[in-house]
Amino acid sequence: MTPKLGLFVALAVVVMPGLIAPPVADAASIREKTTYFAVRGSTLPELDQDLSRRGPFVSGTGIRHPGATEVKFDGQVTYKGTPGGCAVDKTNLSLDLEMTLPRWIPPKRVPARTKLIWDTLEKDIHRHESRHAAIAKQWLKRMEMAIRNLRPEATCQGMEAMVTTVTQRYLAGHERAQIEFDTIEGREVNMRLRRALARAVSDQADR
């Protein structure tokens, strides 16, 4: 029997500033950081309780989660005059990703099954948050390509307005993709953890 561990689904926190002009550069930069919070307990209920008490607080949901990924887009775009008016010159987009994950500090004596279940859960939390980061990277690339491929406008003011429109469209698409991912994960979390635990038990038996 798989113990009930609760609904451990974390949401991405998305900060969406508009793009501005000027500076330079022509390639998106990605900065990644991972921080950990300590989890203590020797039983599954104790671990569940400590995760709920110590996990990162996500303002979008108003509760704490067992893990979280903060996603922050930013960037700058420069423009240049063309025979037809004004076009995008250089893009300098950036993405900051900060992942917060649990790290269990187990007591000296812990049942093997508790350790196995925790290891399974911890891997699933890491996989979940890594997928949030991957989604953000995909949308950063899409947004960058969309901006670079924009046709010239009659004026640089019009070009800047078009860049803002495209940016907002892609940031909204990114947010929808993150929410859709969390929705699917939320529906499947218990089934997924049961399968993962069954595999872990089977692998342990084969050793």
Side-chain angles (χ1 to χ4, degrees):
M1 177 179 176
T2 304
K4 293 181 181 180
L5 297 173
L7 187 62
F8 293 146
V9 180
L11 299 175
V13 179
V14 185
V15 181
M16 302 185 292
L19 298 183
I20 56 176
V24 218
D26 207 18
S29 62
I30 300 174
R31 294 179 289 272
E32 298 185 68
K33 178 183 177 182
T34 302
T35 59
Y36 297 90
F37 63 95
V39 179
R40 292 177 171 82
S42 57
T43 66
L44 294 174
E46 288 174 355
L47 291 172
D48 193 356
Q49 185 178 35
D50 215 38
L51 275 173
S52 299
R53 185 170 63 245
R54 297 174 180 269
F57 179 81
V58 177
S59 58
T61 63
I63 61 174
R64 292 185 177 275
H65 291 264
T69 301
E70 183 177 348
V71 180
K72 183 178 179 180
F73 291 95
D74 204 345
Q76 298 167 321
V77 176
T78 58
Y79 306 95
K80 62 183 178 181
T82 66
C86 185
V88 169
D89 183 20
K90 294 182 183 297
T91 61
N92 182 20
L93 308 189
S94 66
L95 173 63
D96 286 302
L97 296 166
E98 183 168 357
M99 192 180 300
T100 304
L101 299 171
R103 178 170 284 168
W104 184 28
I105 303 176
K108 290 183 178 180
R109 294 181 181 179
V110 180
R113 183 170 177 80
T114 299
K115 186 177 186 309
L116 184 64
I117 292 174
W118 171 262
D119 289 344
T120 302
L121 176 61
E122 185 179 37
K123 288 177 183 177
D124 193 69
I125 294 170
H126 185 271
R127 177 205 56 79
H128 178 91
E129 299 308 329
S130 295
R131 182 56 189 155
H132 274 308
I135 291 171
K137 291 175 185 177
Q138 290 170 359
W139 280 89
L140 175 70
K141 185 176 181 180
R142 292 180 186 178
M143 182 164 59
E144 183 181 46
M145 291 300 296
I147 292 172
R148 288 183 181 179
N149 290 330
L150 285 173
R151 294 179 179 179
E153 295 288 327
T155 65
C156 284
Q157 185 177 8
M159 192 74 251
E160 186 174 1
M162 180 58 69
V163 167
T164 299
T165 298
V166 169
T167 299
Q168 291 173 347
R169 184 189 310 149
Y170 276 81
L171 290 175
H174 164 262
E175 186 174 18
R176 286 194 300 271
Q178 297 283 19
I179 293 172
E180 181 181 3
F181 170 64
D182 270 328
T183 301
I184 295 171
E185 289 276 290
R187 286 198 303 259
E188 300 176 351
V189 60
N190 289 328
M191 185 183 303
R192 188 176 64 252
L193 287 174
R194 287 192 187 97
R195 287 198 302 264
L197 181 58
R199 286 196 300 271
V201 170
S202 177
D203 290 344
Q204 191 177 64
D206 292 340
R207 291 174 186 170

